[in-house]
Structure formats: C-alpha cells, structure tokens
C-alpha cells in the first residue's frame, strides 16, 4: 500500500498562467525582462506549461492601449524564448468572440507554441468547437475552458460537455471564474468532466480564482478527484482576487522534478516591485462578489475609485440589486 501524502502522480501537469492572467491587471504591459524572468523560472522550476498571453483580435483591441502579451505575435514570443529549446511547453489563450483565430493562429510548423487554450462561455460552444477543430488541424494540442461554470445550469453544462467530448481537445478545464465555488462543487464538476471525457481519453484541468481564498484548496480538491492539469500563477497574480499561488501548489506537490526556489526568486525580484504599482488579491470587494457568484468587474471598479475602503456601501449596493 502506498502512502498518498508522500507519493505523486507523474501524469499531473502544471501550467503557469502568470503572464496571461496577470496581464489583466496591467493591460498586458509586462516588460521583456519580466516575461523572460517568468519563462526562465518556469524552465528552472520544472513547470510543464507556460501560458504567455492571449491571441486577441487587433481589430477589437488597440495595440496602443494593450501590451504585446494581449496578442502574442510570433516575433514577440520568440524575442523572449527563441526556439524554446527546453522541456517547457508554451501556450496561449484564444477567447471565443475576441480572437481572429482563423488568421492569427499560425500553423504549428511556423510557431514556437505548443498548446492553444480555447476559452468560451456556454452560449459560445459552437464557435469554440470550430476553434478547437481549427487549432487541432493546424497541429496544436488544444484545451477547452468553459468559463464561469458556476453560473451555468447543470443541463447546459452537460450539453456543452457532450459537444466537447466529440472534439479533439485533449483537456477540458473546470474554470471557477468568479472564485465562488466550494469543495463540494469542485468534486461534482471534476467527476462530471471526467465522465464526459473518459471515452475519448481527455484529461481534466482546474483553473481557480481566489475571491474566497479557496483557490489553492479547490485546486487540491480537484487533484484529489482526478484532475491532472492544474493552473497557477506566481504570487497568485491575476485579475481581481488573483489565482492559485504557484508557490503553494509546487510546495504541495511531491513530484521531485519541481523546484520552488526559482519561483520565490521571481516573487522577490519582479512581483514584489509590481505589487507596489498595481494590486491584486482577495480584498473585501472580491470576497463579496465571490460569495454572490458575480463577475468581479464591479469590485475592480470599486477598488480603482476613491471609495476603495467603503466596504459596506459596496455590499449594500450589490445586495440591493438582488
């Protein structure tokens, strides 16, 4: 009999989305030095995937307002990673309705990228299916990320999963966009995703937000119930309340290939200075939107205004809207 607290699952893979999700904090305006430091830390720490940004439409989003990691042109990526002669795999996220995926995602033979993460809401599943097929035909590994699943009715989740099960996506991800989920919900959804993906050999992933300070705990819960693809960011960097902290996740996992020191080096040298310029983390407004299962946009606006500490006013306004 093995002891589960000292063993590990070699098939469990970790994806770092510090630059992609963290870019929502500063309009993706990271310096090359910052991105390169995260990349080098991912390589040194043994992380399996690094999500370097979005493939967003230049017709919808201005290059003057947003930094290069909103668009992830091949030249920009290669400026950081060269030909990526490492074991680290590179990913980008393409949002349904916000990406010119037919033209901006190059054939795999022309790109240093390995994985395309297709993100979509339930009503966008038809486009998501086309995006998945397109990326697969171009030679990529593909992930399907149904966003804001905590707001979707069970029957609709089943319908979406039926569609995804027939696609060549290798991973389907439980995405707690609003940081509203508890362990019981994570267990139910991971098992449901596994059931739908089992016949075609799909892995299940977990992407957790930290509004209720449960991102790390919910990621562990997902792992316990069979999720083998898990997301995290260094210092929890991410929109609003942020994400599951990579340093906690790596500290928890028992696989000896992972090394935590390079992550703390990035936190000290790059994320600590960034935290003095922009903020992220489970501030009260984000806790409230998480408890109410709401998008954190109202909390982001409140934190950016001159009433950032008016917690009661914020709470009363949101509760009165119900």
């Amino acid at each position: 009999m093995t002891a589960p607290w000292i063993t590990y699952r070699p098939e469990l893979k970790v994806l770092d989305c510090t630059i992609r999700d963290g870019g929502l904090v500063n309009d993706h305006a990271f310096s090359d030095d910052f991105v390169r430091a995260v990349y080098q830390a991912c390589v040194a720490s043994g992380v399996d995937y690094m999500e370097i940004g979005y493939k967003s439409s230049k017709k919808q989003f201005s290059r003057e307002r947003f930094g290069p990691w909103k668009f992830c042109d091949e030249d920009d990526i290669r400026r950081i990673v060269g030909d990526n002669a490492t074991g680290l795999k590179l990913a980008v996220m393409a949002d349904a309705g916000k990406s010119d995926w037919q033209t901006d995602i190059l054939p795999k033979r022309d790109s240093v990228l390995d994985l395309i993460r297709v993100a979509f809401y339930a009503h966008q599943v038809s486009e998501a299916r086309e995006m998945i097929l397109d990326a697969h035909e171009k030679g990529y590994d593909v992930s399907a990320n149904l966003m804001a699943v905590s707001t979707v009715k069970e029957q609709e989740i089943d319908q979406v999963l039926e569609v995804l099960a027939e696609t060549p996506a290798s991973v389907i991800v439980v995405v707690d966009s609003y940081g509203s989920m508890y362990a019981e919900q994570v267990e139910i959804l991971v098992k449901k995703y596994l059931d739908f993906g089992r016949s075609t050999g799909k892995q299940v992933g977990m992407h957790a937000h930290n509004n209720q300070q449960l991102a790390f705990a919910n990621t562990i819960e997902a792992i316990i119930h069979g999720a083998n693809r898990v997301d995290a960011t260094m210092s929890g960097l991410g929109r609003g309340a942020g994400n599951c902290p990579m340093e906690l996740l790596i500290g928890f996992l028992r696989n000896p290939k992972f090394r935590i020191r390079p992550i703390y080096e990035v936190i000290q040298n790059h994320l600590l200075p960034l935290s003095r310029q922009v903020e992220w983390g489970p501030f009260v407004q984000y806790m409230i939107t998480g408890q109410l299962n709401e998008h954190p946009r109202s909390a982001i606006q409140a934190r950016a205004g001159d009433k950032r500490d008016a917690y009661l006013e914020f709470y009363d306004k949101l509760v009165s809207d119900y």
Side-chain angles (χ1 to χ4, degrees), residues 8-25:
Y8 66 92
R9 294 207 302 264
E11 61 270 29
L12 193 152
K13 308 294 184 186
V14 174
L15 181 143
D16 177 274
C17 48
T18 301
I19 301 300
R20 197 277 305 168
D21 212 317
L24 298 169
V25 172

Side-chain angles (χ1 to χ4, degrees), residues 20-59:
R20 197 277 305 168
D21 212 317
L24 298 169
V25 172
N26 70 342
D27 291 334
H28 314 275
F30 295 111
S31 68
D32 283 6
D33 286 345
F34 189 104
V35 179
R36 190 173 293 109
V38 172
Y39 167 72
Q40 292 171 345
C42 285
V43 172
S45 64
V47 166
D48 301 282
Y49 294 86
M50 175 184 173
E51 191 175 44
I52 200 165
Y54 282 96
K55 277 285 187 183
S56 295
S57 170
K58 299 183 185 72
K59 300 171 186 174

Side-chain angles (χ1 to χ4, degrees), residues 41-309:
C42 285
V43 172
S45 64
V47 166
D48 301 282
Y49 294 86
M50 175 184 173
E51 191 175 44
I52 200 165
Y54 282 96
K55 277 285 187 183
S56 295
S57 170
K58 299 183 185 72
K59 300 171 186 174
Q60 298 184 46
F61 302 96
S62 167
R63 290 296 299 258
E64 295 179 356
R65 176 183 171 187
F66 295 98
W69 314 109
K70 180 77 169 176
F71 310 100
C72 288
D73 289 340
E74 194 70 21
D75 288 345
D76 289 324
I77 299 173
R78 288 182 182 272
R79 192 173 65 248
I80 303 299
V81 308
D83 291 330
N84 186 35
T86 75
L88 176 70
K89 294 185 177 182
L90 297 173
V92 293
M93 178 168 282
D95 278 328
K98 298 179 181 179
S99 171
D100 300 319
W101 45 272
Q102 300 95 330
T103 55
D104 286 353
I105 296 178
L106 305 177
K108 174 67 184 81
R109 64 178 178 272
D110 300 324
S111 177
V112 74
L113 295 170
D114 301 285
L115 170 68
I116 305 299
R117 301 231 291 175
V118 173
F120 63 99
Y121 292 101
H123 70 276
Q124 298 172 313
V125 68
S126 294
E127 183 184 2
R129 177 182 177 276
E130 296 303 313
M131 295 172 71
I132 292 166
L133 291 173
D134 178 78
H136 177 74
E137 289 170 1
K138 288 174 177 174
Y140 295 98
D141 191 12
V142 191
S143 166
N145 294 38
L146 170 60
M147 296 187 287
V149 68
S150 61
T151 67
V152 184
K153 293 181 174 64
E154 184 174 3
Q155 182 180 9
E156 194 171 5
I157 295 173
D158 291 348
Q159 292 170 344
V160 169
L161 292 174
E162 286 176 3
V163 173
L164 296 180
E166 299 304 317
T167 72
S170 62
V171 183
I172 46 179
V173 182
V174 176
V175 183
D176 183 16
S177 301
Y178 300 167
S180 65
M181 287 164 52
Y182 299 99
E184 295 84 355
Q185 294 164 286
V186 173
E187 177 183 355
I188 289 168
L189 287 172
V190 167
K191 289 180 176 177
K192 179 188 289 291
Y193 281 41
L194 284 169
D195 286 342
F196 275 92
R198 187 168 287 114
S199 63
T200 49
K202 300 188 190 314
Q203 296 286 347
V204 170
M206 182 70 202
H207 180 89
H209 281 253
N210 204 33
N211 298 62
Q212 299 189 88
Q213 301 191 52
L214 291 173
F216 177 46
N218 283 344
T219 300
I220 293 175
E221 190 73 14
I223 291 170
I224 289 170
H225 296 292
N228 279 327
R229 300 290 184 270
V230 289
D231 296 3
T233 65
M234 298 181 192
S235 200
L237 179 66
R239 181 197 68 195
N243 298 68
C244 173
M246 180 66 76
E247 57 275 19
L248 290 180
L249 180 61
I250 294 299
F252 165 76
L253 296 174
R254 298 293 185 263
N255 191 329
K257 78 168 187 171
F258 293 123
R259 292 169 294 279
I260 199 168
R261 191 179 189 279
I263 297 166
Y264 284 127
E265 185 175 0
V266 169
I267 291 173
Q268 176 177 306
N269 295 337
H270 297 275
L271 285 160
L272 181 59
L274 180 67
S275 71
R276 296 173 181 136
Q277 303 168 25
V278 296
E279 73 167 30
W280 68 92
F283 293 96
V284 170
Q285 290 94 336
Y286 299 126
M287 296 181 193
I288 294 169
T289 58
Q291 289 171 331
L292 296 176
N293 194 20
E294 284 196 4
H295 193 289
R297 63 174 61 90
S298 60
I300 293 171
Q301 293 171 354
R303 295 296 307 170
D306 56 4
K307 293 185 176 181
R308 60 192 295 143
D309 297 327

